[in-house]
Amino acid sequence: SHGHQQRKRPSVTNPMMSSAALVMLSEHETDTTGDTKAVFTLTGLSAPKRESLADKVSSRSKSANWPPVQRLLASMAAVLSYAESIKEPERKGRLAAVIGSVNFKCLVVSCIGCNALFIMYTTDYEMRNLGSKPTDLILNVELGFVIFYLVELLLQLAVHRLYFFGNAE
């Protein structure tokens, strides 16, 4: 009978993954069949650090040959660095809970999908009826989509205020 044995092999880097991730290979023998099976485990999985926009602009300002351009790019880098450092405070309240909910996000995504399908329909209709005006139904449905998107935008602005223009979503 084979006992449960475990041997560790050296870490190998998987080229299909992030360079910061390590793959550990461990071999295990089963005590019933004696077959060797490989088990892979991930360790140290993390996304590589991305260079910020401010860092990119700052590095370009150093390579610029004309002093006014250097000053302009350095000022832009400072403003971008400040903007990237601002974090939106946690939003609380009923409205924030509604627009942050999975159901609301599913509603928005569903509306976007329906709008895409409707655009395909109206494009086909217009190609089949060149020179004619869109029907009242088409105009009313398009107006409905515009109103939905406007209300969604206003709700987002009401909750996030100016952070809406700079947050992760």
Side-chain angles (χ1 to χ4, degrees), residues 1 5 7 15 48 55 60-61 68 72 76 108 122 147 162 169:
S1 158
Q5 299 173 354
R7 292 177 303 209
D55 292 338
R60 296 223 179 177
S61 73
L72 174 65
M76 287 175 58
V108 171
T122 56
I147 290 170
L162 290 178
E169 293 184 27

Side-chain angles (χ1 to χ4, degrees), residues 91-98:
R91 298 300 181 186
K92 297 177 182 173
R94 203 170 279 168
L95 188 58
V98 168

Side-chain angles (χ1 to χ4, degrees), residues 24-125:
M24 296 294 294
L25 172 63
S26 304
E27 287 184 16
H28 296 277
E29 288 185 29
T30 60
D31 54 355
T32 56
T33 63
D35 292 337
T36 302
K37 295 182 180 179
V39 177
F40 295 91
T41 57
L42 296 176
T43 59
L45 186 62
S46 64
K49 186 177 184 311
R50 293 173 47 181
E51 186 179 24
S52 73
L53 187 57
D55 292 338
K56 290 178 184 177
V57 172
S58 179
S59 67
R60 296 223 179 177
S61 73
K62 294 172 186 162
S63 65
N65 293 332
W66 197 36
V69 172
Q70 286 178 333
R71 286 192 299 272
L72 174 65
L73 290 175
S75 298
M76 287 175 58
V79 169
L80 287 171
S81 178
Y82 172 73
E84 288 174 344
S85 71
I86 297 174
K87 302 293 180 212
E88 180 177 8
E90 183 180 347
R91 298 300 181 186
K92 297 177 182 173
R94 203 170 279 168
L95 188 58
V98 168
I99 69 163
S101 72
V102 172
N103 289 338
F104 183 78
K105 291 178 182 181
C106 287
L107 175 67
V108 171
V109 169
S110 298
C111 187
I112 291 169
C114 289
N115 193 4
L117 293 173
F118 189 72
I119 288 170
M120 289 181 354
Y121 167 76
T122 56
T123 302
D124 182 60
Y125 175 84

Side-chain angles (χ1 to χ4, degrees), residues 111 115 139-152:
C111 187
N115 193 4
L139 294 174
N140 289 331
V141 171
E142 286 180 351
L143 180 62
F145 282 122
V146 168
I147 290 170
F148 177 83
Y149 293 133
L150 180 63
V151 168
E152 190 248 346

